[in-house]
Amino acid sequence: RQGQSRRMVVSVAPIEGFGLYPVVCERITGISIGSVCRVGKMHAGCDSYIDEDLKRLRTAWSERLMKRREMLGEKLHSIIDKADKSKSDSDLQTRLVDEWVMLVNERNAVLVPQVDSGLPGAPSSKG
């Protein structure tokens, strides 16, 4: 009810296998919650604010991933263009390619999350 307050415990932790986040978990100093509601079987959904927030989060996350991908691409091209590559250059190139592929996969997961992936906005198989 309006005017009542409730305490809520929130934890944030990185999920293994999902790569980089647009936020550093250790630097979170506060969390605010708005438009909290409970969805029952008869509700179609809460309201448009949740969808708008999710779209904003996806856009911001995707933009950060694209910037990181561009930086990796520039670094990768500078190594590829080298005439004489050392062993460390070859190792760095392999790591950069692996990270670049991971960023592409992560961006795809952000934009179109798989069913039951645990990512915000992912569809549920439970209906």
Side-chain angles (χ1 to χ4, degrees), residues 75-123:
K75 232 179 198 182
L76 193 56
H77 282 292
S78 70
I79 293 172
I80 290 172
D81 292 341
K82 273 188 175 181
D84 297 324
K85 288 186 202 173
S86 67
K87 172 77 169 123
S88 64
D89 287 336
S90 296
D91 292 344
L92 179 59
Q93 181 179 343
T94 301
R95 285 194 309 272
L96 291 174
V97 167
D98 290 344
E99 188 173 345
W100 191 85
V101 169
M102 182 191 71
L103 287 172
V104 169
N105 291 334
E106 186 171 352
R107 184 167 183 266
N108 291 340
V110 167
L111 296 175
V112 185
Q114 293 181 356
V115 175
D116 293 330
S117 66
L119 292 173

Side-chain angles (χ1 to χ4, degrees), residues 16-103:
E16 256 185 71
F18 281 96
L20 305 172
Y21 285 89
V23 72
V24 178
C25 297
E26 292 81 22
R27 297 203 180 205
I28 295 174
T29 59
I31 296 175
S32 299
I33 298 175
S35 188
V36 177
C37 62
R38 185 174 71 177
V39 179
K41 291 181 182 178
M42 300 303 287
H43 282 113
C46 289
D47 54 37
S48 63
Y49 293 113
I50 294 171
D51 286 335
E52 290 172 19
D53 289 344
L54 182 56
K55 286 176 189 173
R56 195 169 28 254
L57 177 63
R58 277 188 180 150
T59 301
W61 192 349
S62 180
E63 287 172 359
R64 293 288 299 179
L65 291 172
M66 287 299 292
K67 284 181 185 177
R68 178 70 180 140
R69 193 179 92 177
E70 288 172 16
M71 288 172 34
L72 284 173
E74 290 171 9
K75 232 179 198 182
L76 193 56
H77 282 292
S78 70
I79 293 172
I80 290 172
D81 292 341
K82 273 188 175 181
D84 297 324
K85 288 186 202 173
S86 67
K87 172 77 169 123
S88 64
D89 287 336
S90 296
D91 292 344
L92 179 59
Q93 181 179 343
T94 301
R95 285 194 309 272
L96 291 174
V97 167
D98 290 344
E99 188 173 345
W100 191 85
V101 169
M102 182 191 71
L103 287 172

